[in-house]
């Protein structure tokens, strides 16, 4: 495994640093576990993404579900990106971060009446509609509120992708989108609707994808559909190709954004409208770490257990997708021979296991810190309070400055909501 360290999250003199701050110095000022992000790394990821897609004139809408902390959203918005959102909660956050409503795309299979009404009245720029039933409801609400709606149909292109089965979304049997065959009749049905303007197609085929092939295959189908619709007299002004671009979690595999952009440009060369992409993970994953303290090293067979103070509720990805995040000591000063550990959290579930037989220094001790690398995406946002555990604080480092960007939601505060 090659550690996915970055220009801004790296070892300096045996100490893991985020920019100019050592993790140990950050941890000395807060409770563990905590999430910590590098502002410079975030900006560098955004700029890299813009450099890949902008020369082709493509629009970037950050899939904010990957990390929706307000400070992160503000940073992203300041760089001129729009957002892809999937709930009224995300809409509220995007508004609070100052993102213009016209730069918002509302995706999701189960938008409720309340959510659609809120988004319609807010003036959300584009609705990606995922079913006949949703389009009916959207049309009814748009009529009631006398608001013009810009909508795209999300189609399910039914292509195979090389990722974990739980994060594919563009296969037959997945709940997302309509079939390609349904699109023409929906366009015909809403052709003269006074408030609904269907003018785009959308797709999102999955997440943590490592190859451009499924994009090429899916875009081919989308392009064929766009041509068919245009031949039938409809103008297709935008193609939203979703996100899913894979990052390196330590196995060396990732999807280079420049090659994705080139592939998209090639496959859509005959399309004259706007192309949108919705990266989430690739903008934030490697900019964040989860820092945790070792509570115990419990001797056992076949491996000792490294029992951490972080658990599956703080970082769900291992329990949900058998995902592995590189786990590293924050101080490699006394690094000696290697020992293999089973790395677990304190929750009363056997799935509260981050890694099995994981090689780390033999000299590790209880009380020392470890960091989970590449946890800026789908880390904090997916946490829960299971076992009545708190919601972790989040910190943002910029140079020598460390700022709390979310306070811990404490165990006592959680109880306050119960009557
Ligand atoms: N657009 C839509 C409509 C999406 O549903 C998603 C992610 C994205 C864009 C962004 O995909 P990304 O670029 O981040 O791969 N919790 C899982 C990932 C679920 C992704 C859901 N949809 C994980 O931790 O791997």
């Amino acid at each position: 495994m090659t550690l996915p360290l970055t220009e801004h999250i790296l070892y300096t003199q045996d100490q893991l640093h985020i920019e100019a701050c050592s993790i140990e110095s950050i941890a000395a000022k807060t409770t563990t576990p905590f999430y910590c992000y590098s502002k410079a790394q975030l900006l560098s990821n955004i700029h890299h993404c813009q450099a890949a897609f902008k020369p082709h004139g493509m629009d970037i809408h950050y899939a904010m579900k990957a990390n929706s902390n307000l400070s992160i959203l503000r940073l992203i918005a300041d760089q001129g990106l729009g957002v892809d959102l999937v709930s009224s909660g995300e809409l509220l956050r995007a508004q609070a971060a100052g993102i213009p409503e016209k730069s918002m795309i509302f995706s999701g299979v189960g938008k409720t009446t309340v959510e659609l009404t809120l988004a319609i009245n807010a003036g959300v720029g584009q609705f990606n509609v995922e079913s006949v039933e949703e389009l009916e409801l959207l049309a009814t609400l748009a009529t009631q509120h006398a608001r013009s709606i810009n909508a795209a149909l999300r189609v399910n292109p039914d292509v195979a992708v090389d990722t974990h089965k739980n994060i594919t979304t563009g296969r037959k049997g997945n709940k997302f989108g309509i079939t390609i065959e349904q699109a023409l009749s929906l366009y015909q049905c809403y052709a003269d609707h006074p408030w609904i303007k269907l003018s785009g197609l959308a797709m999102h085929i999955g997440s943590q994808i490592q190859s451009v092939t499924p994009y090429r295959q899916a875009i081919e189908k989308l392009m064929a559909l766009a041509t068919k619709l245009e031949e039938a007299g409809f103008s297709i002004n935008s193609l939203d190709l979703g996100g899913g671009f894979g990052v390196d979690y330590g196995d060396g595999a990732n999807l280079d954004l420049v090659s994705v952009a080139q592939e998209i440009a090639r496959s859509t060369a005959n399309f004259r409208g706007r192309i949108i992409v919705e990266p989430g993970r690739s903008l934030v994953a490697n900019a964040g770490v989860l820092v945790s303290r070792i509570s115990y090293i419990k001797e056992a067979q076949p491996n000792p257990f490294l029992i951490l103070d972080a658990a599956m509720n703080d970082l769900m990805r291992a329990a949900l997708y058998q995902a592995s995040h590189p786990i590293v000591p924050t101080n490699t000063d006394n690094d000696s021979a290697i020992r293999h550990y089973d790395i677990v959290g304190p929750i009363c579930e056997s799935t509260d296991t981050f890694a099995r037989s994981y090689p780390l220094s033999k000299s590790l001790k209880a009380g020392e810190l470890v960091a989970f690398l590449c946890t800026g995406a789908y880390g904090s946002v997916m946490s829960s309070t299971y076992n009545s555990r708190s919601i972790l604080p989040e910190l943002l480092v910029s140079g020598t400055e460390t700022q709390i960007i979310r306070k811990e939601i404490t165990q006592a505060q959680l109880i306050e909501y119960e009557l």
Side-chain angles (χ1 to χ4, degrees):
M1 172 168 57
T2 315
L3 291 178
L5 293 164
T6 73
E7 195 189 335
H8 304 287
I9 301 185
L10 75 179
Y11 283 97
T12 314
Q13 290 162 350
D14 291 330
Q15 294 278 328
L16 185 63
H17 278 69
I18 300 206
E19 302 192 24
C21 301
S22 74
I23 302 267
E24 302 237 329
S25 70
I26 302 169
K29 292 184 228 140
T30 183
T31 51
T32 57
F34 61 90
Y35 276 96
C36 193
Y37 310 109
S38 156
K39 181 174 176 181
Q41 189 59 47
L42 272 166
L43 289 173
S44 153
N45 293 348
I46 297 166
H47 296 154
H48 176 63
C49 181
Q50 288 174 320
F53 291 103
K54 287 283 164 189
H56 301 286
M58 298 171 191
D59 285 347
I60 306 166
H61 283 249
Y62 169 58
M64 60 182 281
K65 62 172 79 67
N67 187 323
S68 54
N69 183 291
L70 282 184
S71 302
I72 307 274
L73 281 184
R74 283 194 199 104
L75 267 177
I76 285 175
D78 284 348
Q79 304 307 307
L81 271 56
V83 288
D84 165 69
L85 54 90
V86 291
S87 71
S88 50
E90 288 194 347
L91 172 57
L92 290 181
R93 272 178 184 278
Q95 287 176 316
I99 295 164
E101 283 81 1
K102 64 173 180 7
S103 306
M104 299 180 188
I105 296 177
F106 194 179
S107 304
V109 289
K111 307 176 193 84
T112 64
T113 303
V114 171
E115 290 180 312
L116 285 173
T117 306
L118 202 76
I120 288 170
N121 289 319
V124 162
Q126 178 172 319
F127 290 73
N128 285 355
V129 173
E130 302 224 12
S131 65
V132 179
E133 295 77 5
E134 181 192 336
L135 190 51
E136 272 169 24
L137 177 59
L138 185 63
T140 307
L141 295 171
T143 309
Q144 258 171 30
H145 295 270
R147 302 289 290 239
S148 285
I149 298 298
N150 177 37
L153 291 183
R154 173 168 174 182
V155 298
N156 182 337
D158 191 23
V159 292
V161 295
D162 53 342
T163 189
H164 192 276
K165 65 179 180 356
N166 293 4
I167 49 177
T168 67
T169 50
R171 293 269 24 208
K172 204 169 173 179
N174 289 141
K175 67 182 173 181
F176 302 97
I178 58 163
T179 62
I180 287 188
E181 294 69 38
Q182 285 175 297
L184 178 60
S185 68
L186 276 176
Y187 263 84
Q188 286 164 339
C189 199
Y190 286 84
D192 300 319
H193 197 280
W195 301 107
I196 297 286
K197 187 169 162 260
L198 273 182
S199 63
L201 294 173
M203 67 176 215
H204 169 74
I205 54 177
S207 199
Q208 187 54 10
I209 297 171
Q210 315 282 355
S211 136
V212 294
T213 309
Y215 289 97
R216 180 168 53 238
Q217 293 166 340
I219 294 170
E220 250 169 45
K221 295 190 179 187
L222 213 62
M223 284 290 288
L225 175 59
T227 307
K228 183 169 150 193
L229 292 169
E230 294 206 312
E231 282 168 3
F234 301 103
S235 32
I236 305 301
N237 302 331
S238 69
L239 294 182
D240 177 346
L241 305 176
F245 318 132
V247 303
D248 180 8
Y249 280 112
D251 54 6
N254 75 338
L255 190 50
D256 170 45
L257 295 186
V258 173
S259 44
V260 185
Q262 283 166 351
E263 181 59 52
I264 294 177
R266 257 195 308 274
S267 324
T268 58
N270 296 328
F271 182 71
R272 292 285 148 249
R274 179 176 167 230
I275 303 283
I276 303 164
V277 287
E278 300 175 345
R281 186 190 315 264
S282 49
L283 292 184
V284 288
N286 70 354
V289 300
L290 167 64
V291 179
S292 175
R293 204 173 287 284
I294 302 169
S295 295
Y296 298 95
I297 297 179
K298 172 174 164 173
E299 288 306 330
Q301 291 301 327
N303 296 315
F305 287 105
L306 200 71
I307 306 179
L308 302 178
D309 63 0
M312 61 188 281
N313 72 302
D314 305 311
L315 178 65
M316 296 274 279
R317 301 196 68 256
L320 275 183
Y321 320 114
Q322 296 77 50
S324 58
H325 289 266
I327 303 166
V328 295
T330 59
N331 180 346
T332 53
D333 236 1
N334 307 318
D335 253 12
S336 56
I338 290 299
R339 202 175 178 199
H340 287 83
Y341 300 90
D342 287 353
I343 305 182
V344 300
I347 280 185
C348 304
E349 299 260 357
S350 292
T351 52
D352 188 17
T353 300
F354 292 113
R356 294 261 181 213
S357 200
Y358 194 88
L360 280 173
S361 164
K362 208 172 180 172
S363 66
L364 279 179
K365 292 186 190 56
E368 292 180 346
L369 297 171
V370 294
F372 291 74
L373 300 179
C374 234
T375 48
Y378 305 113
S380 171
V381 281
M382 286 174 57
S383 54
S384 80
T385 60
Y386 186 39
N387 278 205
S388 288
R389 288 168 56 84
S390 64
I391 296 286
L392 302 186
E394 292 177 283
L395 291 85
L396 181 66
V397 172
S398 176
T400 54
E401 304 280 310
T402 304
Q403 186 195 347
I404 295 182
I405 57 169
R406 184 179 65 199
K407 293 191 275 189
E408 178 182 2
I409 303 174
T410 65
Q411 294 160 6
Q413 285 167 334
L414 292 173
I415 298 173
E416 281 170 24
Y417 284 87
E418 293 173 31
L419 307 176

